[in-house]
Structure formats: structure tokens, C-alpha cells
């Protein structure tokens, strides 16, 4: 098997793991010590992988760094890569998402930010242009703030059409573009906003994460603030599919890289505690697009467990069989080399884990 790279963004830096067979891991770091790393991208479209990291220094502020040698050296542009234009009346607080586009656009990377905005790079993440059409959307001034702030935290591209984009906003809901980001429309039919007087509004939902099915691109999965949902028509309509889960709250959802209908979630209790239900560390997997769910916890802690998994901290790699990874707010990272059937702890005592990414690198 080729090497797998695992990137772990934490409250106090970035840690990188590398494994030749996913049996043992060599962990390095922290890169960017004392900086919160909310977003990581592993771009494998070129001749060599490029790593992107959205780091936030309490002294210097947020920035986007890049590395073309697997983290041996990092480069920060002389001018901010992501910057709000004059006249917007705001400034960058955080980069929540760094998402490479598809192979048809080898230099394109999207950045989702707080305040809620979208940026597009055409040079692999070295510079980014402001997508003004989303910022100027007439509904944007009415977007609320999630517990983590108001942000565009998820960008979903379409393998069939580089002009088709989807973003998730806390708390604005889902928005789609069919013309490369020139115009946007809300796409929230069927999504509940239990905290609003009108619980099924046109926009304003607190969407936590979206993932696209690898076989049927019209099928999407969504973890909401209350409910796991599926769309079979590209996001036009959403249907709840999480009734068999122990809690309808959670932050993360991810999909198998090749098998359609295989989805992973890590539920959490809503309300003031936000711990795993029954204080049990469990990943739930469906193999039938949400018709049924089964817990997958072999090798995970059996004693009471309190670590919750944030929206970008549950991911798969593109190996065969697929690896599944998650990190929690206790600073623990777990890996499965058999698509979630069994797990082992590969890191502990890290700072609060904010995001995880994994990819085969050669």
C-alpha cells in the first residue's frame, strides 16, 4: 500500500501522521504551535501533494500557509492570501474550510471563512479572490450565528460540473450555485430550524456539515443542528434519515470514497452537555443511504467517554479498503483501516482536535 498522510488540526497547532500500511503511524508536530488550525487541505491533483493550513494566531491573526514537501517547510504569502476587500466593513476572523476543486480545475481551491464568505483561488491556494456574489446576496444580512460564529464552513463541488457549487453557512443554511458562483439560491426545503418560530424557513438553518455520495452525485448527506438528512435531487429537497440514531444532534458527516450509500456520523447530545449519547464513544455507519444505521465501536473506549467530534474531524482516506479517522475534543485520534469495522487509538493527549484530513500520497 502507498503511504497515507493524516493531517490533524488542533487548538494549538497542526500534527502530521504518516503510515505505510496504516498499522503504525509516525506523528510529527506541532506545526504552527500556539495557533489554532481550523482547516486543512491535502491537494493531490498535481505531481506532488500540496498541504494547505488555515491557522489563527492570537497575536498575528489568521493566515493560510502552504507546503509542497509534506510539511518540512511552510510558506506564508507576503500579503494575506485571504482578505476582505475595502468597503465590506469587515475583516477575516478565521478560515473554516480549504477545499480543492475537482481534477478539471487543477489550480482551483475554495476557502470558506468567518465572517460568512467564500473565496476562490486559481493558483493552488497562494492567492484568493473574494466571491462577491455570495456576500451581496440579499439574504446574507439576515444570517444568524452558530455557537462557533457565523461562517461558510463547508464547500461541496460537483465532479460532473465545475460550475456547480454548494456551501453551508452557520446559521444561514445551504446555498447552491449553477454558474460558478455568479449567483446563489437557498436550498433548504425540508431542513428544520427548531430554534426559529418558523421551523421550516427558506433559509436560516444551522447546517453543520454536508457530504456528497461518491456514486450518485445528486445524493447528498447533511448533519443539521437536529437531524441527519439526505437529498436525492442535488439539494432541492431534504429528507430526515436519522431516526434510528441515539441522538439527532451532531457535527460531522462523511462518506466512503467509492461505495455509494455508505455514510459515517458521530452523534452527540444536544443541549448544555453535548457529550456522546450515554457517554459512549461510537461511530454509526449506514450502508443503505440512511435506511438503517449500526454502531461501529470495536476497539473504541468502553468506559464512560466525553469527547465530542467537531464538524471537520471525521474523515475517510482514498485507500482500498478505505480508512476512517476521527479526532475529539479530548485530544484523542482514532483510525480504522477496515472501513469502520474496528478501531485503534493512534494519538492521545493532543490539544483539542478541530479538523482531520487523510489521503494517499503516492
Amino acid at each position: 500500500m502507498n503511504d497515507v498522510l493524516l493531517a490533524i488540526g488542533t487548538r494549538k497547532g497542526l500534527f502530521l501522521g504518516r503510515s505505510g500500511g496504516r498499522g503504525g503511524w509516525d506523528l510529527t508536530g506541532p506545526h504552527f504551535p500556539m495557533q489554532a488550525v481550523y482547516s486543512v487541505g491535502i491537494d493531490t491533483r498535481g505531481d506532488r501533494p500540496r498541504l494547505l493550513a488555515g491557522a489563527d494566531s492570537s497575536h498575528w491573526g489568521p493566515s493560510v500557509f502552504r507546503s509542497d514537501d509534506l510539511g518540512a517547510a511552510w510558506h506564508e504569502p507576503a500579503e494575506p492570501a485571504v482578505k476582505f476587500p475595502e468597503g465590506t466593513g469587515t475583516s477575516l476572523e478565521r478560515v473554516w474550510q480549504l477545499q480543492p476543486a475537482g481534477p478539471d480545475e487543477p489550480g482551483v481551491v475554495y476557502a470558506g471563512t468567518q465572517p460568512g464568505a467564500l473565496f476562490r483561488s486559481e493558483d493552488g491556494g497562494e492567492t484568493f479572490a473574494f466571491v462577491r456574489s455570495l456576500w451581496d446576496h440579499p439574504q446574507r444580512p439576515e444570517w444568524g450565528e452558530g455557537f462557533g460564529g457565523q461562517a461558510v464552513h463547508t464547500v461541496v463541488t460537483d465532479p460532473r460540473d465545475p460550475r456547480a457549487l454548494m456551501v453551508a453557512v452557520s446559521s444561514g443554511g445551504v446555498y447552491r450555485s449553477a454558474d460558478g458562483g455568479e449567483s446563489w439560491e437557498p436550498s433548504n426545503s425540508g431542513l428544520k430550524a427548531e430554534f426559529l418560530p418558523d421551523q421550516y424557513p427558506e433559509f436560516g438553518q444551522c447546517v453543520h456539515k454536508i457530504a456528497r455520495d461518491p456514486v450518485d452525485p445528486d445524493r447528498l448527506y447533511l448533519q443539521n443542528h437536529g437531524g441527519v438528512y439526505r437529498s436525492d435531487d442535488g439539494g432541492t429537497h431534504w429528507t430526515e434519515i436519522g431516526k434510528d440514531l441515539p441522538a439527532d444532534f451532531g457535527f460531522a458527516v462523511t462518506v466512503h470514497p467509492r461505495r455509494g450509500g455508505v455514510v459515517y456520523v458521530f452523534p452527540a447530545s444536544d443541549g448544555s452537555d453535548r457529550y456522546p449519547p450515554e457517554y459512549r464513544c461510537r461511530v454509526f455507519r449506514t450502508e443503505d443511504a440512511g435506511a438503517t444505521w449500526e454502531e461501529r465501536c470495536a476497539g473504541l473506549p468502553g468506559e464512560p467517554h466525553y469527547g465530542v467530534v467537531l464538524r471537520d474531524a471525521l474523515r475517510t482516506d482514498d485507500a482500498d479498503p478505505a480508512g476512517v479517522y476521527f479526532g475529539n475534543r479530548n485530544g484523542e485520534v482514532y483510525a480504522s483501516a477496515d472501513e469502520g469495522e474496528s478501531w485503534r487509538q493512534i494519538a492521545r493527549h493532543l490539544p483539542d482536535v478541530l479538523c482531520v484530513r487523510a489521503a494517499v500520497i503516492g
Side-chain angles (χ1 to χ4, degrees):
M1 173 185 286
N2 293 328
D3 282 3
V4 174
L5 179 70
L6 178 65
I8 307 163
T10 79
R11 188 76 64 180
K12 293 183 179 180
L14 174 70
F15 295 81
L16 297 175
R18 191 165 177 176
S19 177
R22 297 182 301 186
W25 291 85
D26 295 323
L27 202 66
T28 65
H31 307 259
F32 320 113
M34 290 302 294
Q35 296 191 49
V37 179
Y38 285 90
S39 55
V40 178
I42 304 177
D43 188 351
T44 58
R45 296 171 297 175
D47 295 335
R48 55 183 178 179
R50 168 167 284 190
L51 308 185
L52 298 167
D56 184 4
S57 166
S58 59
H59 183 72
W60 299 108
S63 188
V64 175
F65 298 83
R66 68 184 188 278
S67 173
D68 292 326
D69 53 14
L70 301 178
W74 292 90
H75 304 280
E76 182 182 17
E79 296 294 326
V82 178
K83 183 179 180 180
F84 279 83
E86 292 185 9
T88 56
T90 192
S91 60
L92 180 66
E93 297 177 34
R94 186 170 295 159
V95 177
W96 277 100
Q97 182 90 143
L98 288 165
Q99 179 61 51
D104 292 338
E105 296 183 302
V108 174
V109 178
Y110 290 97
T113 69
Q114 178 182 341
L118 182 67
F119 292 77
R120 174 186 165 101
S121 171
E122 296 186 354
D123 55 14
E126 297 183 25
T127 61
F128 286 83
F130 183 56
V131 180
R132 182 168 286 278
S133 57
L134 184 61
W135 183 260
D136 287 343
H137 195 283
Q139 293 170 346
R140 185 193 63 81
E142 299 181 58
W143 294 348
E145 290 192 12
F147 186 71
Q150 191 228 71
V152 172
H153 56 68
T154 300
V155 182
V156 182
T157 59
D158 190 325
R160 302 164 299 183
D161 182 2
R163 293 176 61 79
L165 298 170
M166 177 176 286
V167 298
V169 186
S170 287
S171 292
V174 180
Y175 283 78
R176 292 186 300 177
S177 174
D179 52 18
E182 294 182 17
S183 63
W184 298 86
E185 62 177 5
S187 185
N188 301 292
S189 177
L191 289 179
K192 191 174 184 179
E194 59 188 25
F195 45 83
L196 294 178
D198 175 5
Q199 295 196 347
Y200 290 93
E202 183 183 13
F203 66 96
Q205 290 83 351
C206 189
V207 175
H208 287 173
K209 197 65 187 174
I210 307 173
R212 190 184 295 277
D213 191 276
V215 174
D216 181 359
D218 280 329
R219 177 168 282 180
L220 298 124
Y221 307 94
L222 182 151
Q223 174 67 66
N224 197 36
H225 184 119
V228 178
Y229 290 80
R230 187 186 76 222
S231 173
D232 295 325
D233 54 13
T236 301
H237 303 92
W238 298 91
T239 302
E240 191 167 2
I241 59 171
K243 297 296 187 181
D244 292 338
L245 294 169
D248 63 4
F249 190 83
F251 295 102
V253 61
T254 196
V255 296
H256 191 284
R258 290 174 302 279
R259 295 170 56 199
V262 180
V263 187
Y264 303 85
V265 296
F266 192 102
S269 298
D270 195 3
S272 59
D273 56 4
R274 297 195 178 180
Y275 294 126
E278 304 169 16
Y279 306 125
R280 296 176 61 194
C281 184
R282 293 175 290 175
V283 173
F284 282 78
R285 184 182 71 192
T286 178
E287 296 186 326
D288 51 19
T292 59
W293 296 87
E294 293 184 349
E295 65 178 55
R296 287 292 179 262
C297 55
L300 295 178
E303 66 274 8
H305 196 268
Y306 306 99
V308 74
V309 175
L310 297 180
R311 75 174 91 247
D312 264 325
L314 170 66
R315 302 294 287 196
T316 55
D317 64 24
D318 49 347
D320 189 10
V324 192
Y325 309 86
F326 71 88
N328 62 32
R329 303 202 69 179
N330 292 358
E332 302 164 339
V333 180
Y334 295 88
S336 171
D338 53 13
E339 307 193 347
E341 291 296 322
S342 62
W343 301 85
R344 61 188 295 260
Q345 187 182 79
I346 62 172
R348 60 179 178 171
H349 306 315
L350 299 181
D352 188 355
V353 176
L354 305 176
C355 61
V356 169
R357 289 290 185 275
V360 174
I361 56 171

